[in-house]
Amino acid sequence: MSKQTMIITLIAIVLLTVTFIVYRLADRYLIEHFEVIVEPSTQTPSAGTSQGSDTESTSDAAELSNVEEKQTMAHWDDWSYEDETQTIQIEKVQTGSGEDKITYYVADVTFQDEANLDTAFAKNAFGTNIIEDTSTIAENNNAIFAINGDYYGFRSDGVIIRNGTLFRDEPAREGLALYSDGSLQAYAEEAISSDALLEAGVTDTFSFGPALVTEGEIAGDFSSVKIDKNFGNRSIQAANPRTGIGMVLPNRFLFVVVDGRSSKSRGMTLTEFAELFQDLGAVEAYNLDGGGSSTMYFMGRVVNDPLGKGNERGVSDIIYIPKSV
């Protein structure tokens, strides 16, 4: 084999290797993989949709009239919402100044009878690398309020239960369980089976973490926390944009979104985030996906300022409150 042939062969091998690596990275982190298509769980009744007999039409008309009557009982403005089943009160808080300035948003939500919390996937599909903006997913599911979820689609492990359906069963980290009685509890995914979770009344699980507050106390030492082993993974304990969910008592929740990585807000450390939830009265609290994902949506608008640029980053899922009437 001539020297020239050897060089050409080596170049070809290098190009094939690079192409293979690029494809594998794209397949893992960019290319959409649809596993399950999920119908939106919330449908808003609308006029002109009824079909069938006169009896069915009359019944539909009565139901629509009842819905319209209940809707007149709802009151809201840019920062609050109230109807006969739930109240939402959002507060924007700014602390510090200069490089130490922090801006965050607290949504205090109370349900009268049972938790009207729901979850939804981007593009109504479960899989990997399937993303949409939080606001888009919210609007597609008739949400009045939403935050980004755990971005389950960035990783291939974790226990993922949504709306009572098990989608993934690969225990890997500290998860969060939402129960049908309106309570939250962090748990070790490897310590309890998904069947046991479902039997105990778990409707949704989230796989990110860590737990911030358990039984009213700061959950632990946050000096070095990594969520997964994916490419580019790094410790997350430093000041960053944050999204978290907490429980004051069953059916009363706190949703907190912290802006960060901008001149307007430096973000919070995990310790600061845990202390904030504790100060707000949370007895349980859990850290969800943050960074550019951190988004709070309310009544048709994004409340916070993602990364100080006002631009949302696509996510794989949201936690939201649908219209109750």
Side-chain angles (χ1 to χ4, degrees):
M1 182 182 295
S2 68
K3 184 177 181 179
Q4 183 177 10
T5 302
M6 289 179 62
I7 292 174
I8 292 174
T9 301
L10 287 172
I11 291 174
I13 292 173
V14 171
L15 288 175
L16 285 172
T17 301
V18 170
T19 300
F20 176 75
I21 293 173
V22 170
Y23 171 76
R24 289 295 299 272
L25 288 173
D27 184 62
R28 176 62 188 88
Y29 298 109
L30 296 175
I31 298 173
E32 295 181 332
H33 295 282
F34 291 82
E35 298 178 30
V36 182
I37 302 300
V38 182
E39 289 297 322
S41 61
T42 302
Q43 301 292 335
T44 301
S46 59
T49 59
S50 61
Q51 297 179 349
S53 66
D54 290 341
T55 301
E56 290 173 333
S57 298
T58 301
S59 176
D60 289 344
E63 181 179 353
L64 180 60
S65 176
N66 187 43
V67 167
E68 291 174 343
E69 181 179 353
K70 288 183 177 180
Q71 286 176 336
T72 62
M73 300 174 66
H75 305 279
W76 66 88
D77 56 30
D78 286 345
W79 300 97
S80 64
Y81 176 94
E82 181 177 4
D83 63 29
E84 61 183 6
T85 64
Q86 59 200 8
T87 60
I88 303 170
Q89 185 67 50
I90 301 174
E91 181 181 9
K92 177 181 180 180
V93 181
Q94 292 182 312
T95 65
S97 60
E99 295 182 353
D100 200 41
K101 184 177 181 180
I102 303 174
T103 302
Y104 63 92
Y105 303 80
V106 179
D108 191 332
V109 177
T110 299
F111 299 107
Q112 300 303 321
D113 297 316
E114 59 182 22
N116 187 31
L117 277 184
D118 216 333
T119 56
F121 295 135
K123 301 182 181 180
N124 295 319
F126 175 84
T128 55
N129 305 323
I130 304 168
I131 62 173
E132 287 182 309
D133 289 349
T134 293
S135 61
T136 299
I137 308 174
E139 289 163 2
N140 290 341
N141 287 273
N142 299 313
I144 58 177
F145 173 85
I147 59 170
N148 61 285
D150 63 5
Y151 210 147
Y152 78 88
F154 181 68
R155 55 194 62 84
S156 57
D157 56 18
V159 177
I160 308 299
I161 297 172
R162 299 295 161 89
N163 301 318
T165 298
L166 176 64
F167 288 92
R168 180 185 294 161
D169 195 6
E170 298 290 339
R173 59 184 62 83
E174 187 173 38
L176 178 72
L178 171 63
Y179 289 80
S180 56
D181 66 356
S183 63
L184 291 174
Q185 186 174 36
Y187 72 102
E189 291 181 338
E190 296 176 336
I192 182 171
S193 71
S194 56
D195 287 341
L197 290 171
L198 291 168
E199 289 174 4
V202 170
T203 59
D204 298 88
T205 60
F206 306 96
S207 187
F208 199 90
L212 301 170
V213 178
T214 56
E215 297 183 350
E217 301 296 330
I218 302 297
D221 177 18
F222 304 116
S223 59
S224 181
V225 178
K226 290 186 178 181
I227 300 306
D228 53 51
K229 298 179 181 179
N230 282 312
F231 177 78
N233 181 50
R234 57 196 173 99
S235 296
I236 63 169
Q237 70 273 8
N240 282 292
R242 302 281 179 194
T243 299
I245 180 174
M247 179 190 75
V248 177
L249 46 81
N251 293 326
R252 182 182 173 193
F253 299 92
L254 297 169
F255 302 87
V256 181
V257 168
V258 183
D259 284 339
R261 298 181 193 168
S262 76
S263 59
K264 302 175 184 178
S265 181
R266 67 167 170 84
M268 282 189 183
T269 66
L270 279 176
T271 299
E272 289 172 329
F273 204 34
E275 290 173 346
L276 173 60
F277 270 105
Q278 187 182 50
D279 290 345
L280 290 170
V283 295
E284 303 287 335
Y286 187 82
N287 183 57
L288 295 164
D289 184 32
S293 300
S294 290
T295 306
M296 181 180 288
Y297 169 95
F298 179 65
M299 300 302 291
R301 81 185 201 281
V302 174
V303 174
N304 68 310
D305 187 11
L307 297 182
K309 300 177 181 178
N311 296 323
E312 295 178 72
R313 180 171 76 183
V315 297
S316 61
D317 60 305
I318 65 169
I319 304 171
Y320 74 98
I321 300 173
K323 294 178 180 177
S324 62
V325 292

